[in-house]
Amino acid sequence: GAVVSQHPSWVICKSGTSVKIECRSLDFQATTMFWYRQFPKQSLMLMATSNEGSKATYEQGVEKDKFLINHASLTLSTLTVTSAHPEDSSFYICSARGGRQGVMSTDTQYFGPGTRLTVL
Amino acid sequence: RKEVEQDPGPFNVPEGATVAFNCTYSNSASQSFFWYRQDCRKEPKLLMSVYSSGNEDGRFTAQLNRASQYISLLIRDSKLSDSATYLCAVNRVNNAGNMLTFGGGTRLMVKP
């Protein structure tokens, strides 16, 4: 149980294009999803938190108009990197939290496999 | 001061050694603590939660010291396959809800 998928697993795009990344919880309902970014040899940095049906809450320094997050259902959240530039190249990882108490911890986050974005 | 701090390492140990990592956190209101393992170019995977009374899972033991605000991870009888980066995570609560803050990770390299 507690499987989270991400698509695509890697993407290479030209500067100025927009890239959409999907995050799905496959066997549980994710009331909350998180989007992280990780640069080489650095830790996970939380970009934003999204609760199903409401607007995402962005961490300080993260541009909400550049990183569009949609959490339209309990199993799907998307992150769109708009007008991507080389400095946006990074490893983007989503995680999901949810489930039923007693069956799985509602406090534990389960991570997707990540999406490696390279902007040329 | 960072919210969650770890010694980045690397810790280079021989197979069979016992190794311990510490992680300090600044928010005394934190209630949930975790250790994750991350392999190179992969996502973090939950290794174990950390309970107040300490907990053990095979060769791995996690402990929490609330007074000094740190958690620890002890790995006994290290295996080559234990080589990875170990991330501690501590919860925090703000207007967006309950979320985790990760430390920078401690890199472990187990050598034959």
Side-chain angles (χ1 to χ4, degrees):
Chain A
V3 178
V4 178
S5 71
Q6 260 183 261
H7 177 81
S9 55
W10 59 269
V11 60
I12 301 173
C13 69
K14 291 182 179 179
S15 186
T17 58
S18 292
V19 176
K20 188 177 187 177
I21 303 170
E22 291 185 350
C23 176
R24 293 182 186 272
S25 57
L26 298 185
D27 53 359
F28 68 101
Q29 293 185 326
T31 49
T32 305
M33 285 186 169
F34 304 88
W35 286 96
Y36 295 85
R37 181 167 53 181
Q38 187 176 35
F39 292 106
K41 298 189 177 180
Q42 294 187 27
S43 188
L44 295 163
M45 296 301 296
L46 180 65
M47 299 175 68
T49 302
S50 75
N51 293 296
E52 185 264 339
S54 60
K55 287 184 180 179
T57 301
Y58 290 80
E59 293 295 297
Q60 197 171 10
V62 178
E63 300 173 57
K64 63 179 181 180
D65 294 329
K66 180 168 180 64
F67 299 99
L68 302 177
I69 291 172
N70 184 286
H71 191 168
S73 78
L74 284 171
T75 58
L76 173 65
S77 176
T78 60
L79 167 69
T80 301
V81 183
T82 60
S83 186
H85 290 283
E87 58 267 28
D88 298 322
S89 299
S90 187
F91 191 42
Y92 291 85
I93 313 175
C94 72
S95 71
R97 185 178 69 203
R100 293 174 287 125
Q101 209 149 19
V103 177
M104 57 186 280
S105 167
T106 55
D107 205 18
T108 304
Q109 291 185 30
Y110 297 91
F111 285 85
T115 297
R116 197 160 298 279
L117 171 64
T118 302
V119 185
L120 303 175
Chain B
R1 182 186 173 188
K2 290 182 182 176
E3 283 187 62
V4 182
E5 290 198 76
Q6 292 181 252
D7 180 344
F11 283 59
N12 295 298
V13 303
E15 259 188 300
T18 295
V19 61
F21 311 133
N22 277 347
C23 168
T24 59
Y25 61 95
S26 60
N27 186 351
S28 59
S30 297
Q31 294 294 322
S32 302
F33 309 89
F34 306 89
W35 281 103
Y36 282 80
R37 170 195 169 125
Q38 186 175 27
D39 292 291
C40 189
R41 301 174 77 84
K42 299 280 189 181
E43 78 278 18
K45 292 194 190 289
L46 179 65
L47 183 63
M48 57 199 304
S49 302
V50 185
Y51 303 123
S52 297
S53 54
N55 47 302
E56 189 174 305
D57 182 3
R59 298 182 293 109
F60 299 84
T61 300
Q63 291 195 310
L64 166 64
N65 185 317
R66 284 193 187 273
S68 300
Q69 293 183 203
Y70 74 84
I71 62 173
S72 64
L73 177 69
L74 181 80
I75 305 175
R76 289 182 298 278
D77 188 23
S78 301
K79 311 289 184 193
L80 295 177
S81 57
D82 293 333
S83 298
T85 297
Y86 291 84
L87 303 167
C88 66
V90 176
N91 83 304
R92 62 179 166 99
V93 181
N94 63 17
N95 58 353
N98 188 350
M99 60 201 64
L100 294 179
T101 300
F102 285 85
T106 297
R107 192 166 168 218
L108 171 66
M109 297 181 69
V110 182
K111 302 285 176 75

